[in-house]
Amino acid sequence: MQEVRAIRPDREVLTRQRLPYFVGISGQTVGASGLSMHLVTIPPGARSEPHCHVGYETGIYVLEGRVLTRWGARLENEVISEAGEFLFVPPGVPHEAVNLSATEAARAVVARNHPAEQDQVQPYVVE
């Protein structure tokens, strides 16, 4: 029988994007088969490594802060997300996230239609 489970993230992990995550729902934590959901913190002035997600969509809800997302083949496009806003990242789109504050951390909930936390994240080299 499947069960409903509450998850309290109890440890921080450093991701392939070089950002601290608090793992919540995933295939590993609850046996999810098509979803993962986590909390990411972007430290003041920090940025993720450029990367792309292979084969899955990502939805982000910003809880705190202002985040600049640069995206595209040369990271030539930009969008700013603020607390209370959603951001959608299609599969395979190169991108990076930048915390626009030098003094405050940015925090967001990240959901993916893939159960693994990091298996399908690939580094991206900007040409």
Side-chain angles (χ1 to χ4, degrees), residues 1-72:
M1 178 174 132
Q2 294 188 6
E3 62 184 77
V4 175
R5 296 189 47 200
I7 302 295
R8 180 174 298 275
D10 59 358
R11 64 185 168 86
E12 179 181 298
V13 297
L14 189 62
T15 64
R16 291 182 184 170
Q17 299 97 312
R18 300 304 224 189
L19 294 176
Y21 263 45
F22 295 86
V23 176
I25 297 168
S26 70
Q28 187 175 29
T29 60
V30 298
S33 62
L35 172 72
S36 63
M37 183 180 280
H38 315 292
L39 180 65
V40 63
T41 300
I42 306 174
R47 68 179 55 224
S48 69
E49 293 292 325
H51 63 282
C52 62
H53 308 150
V54 178
Y56 61 86
E57 299 171 327
T58 301
I60 300 167
Y61 180 76
V62 180
L63 297 167
E64 298 174 346
R66 295 180 71 230
V67 179
L68 169 69
T69 301
R70 297 177 58 219
W71 60 276

Side-chain angles (χ1 to χ4, degrees), residues 11 20 24 40 50 57 65-67 75 78 83-84 98 100 113 116 125:
R11 64 185 168 86
V40 63
E57 299 171 327
R66 295 180 71 230
V67 179
L75 304 180
E78 297 182 347
V98 180
L100 292 175
N113 64 332
V125 178

Side-chain angles (χ1 to χ4, degrees), residues 77-95:
N77 305 293
E78 297 182 347
V79 62
I80 294 175
S81 304
E82 298 183 0
E85 295 181 342
F86 290 94
L87 181 72
F88 173 71
V89 181
V93 173
H95 61 285

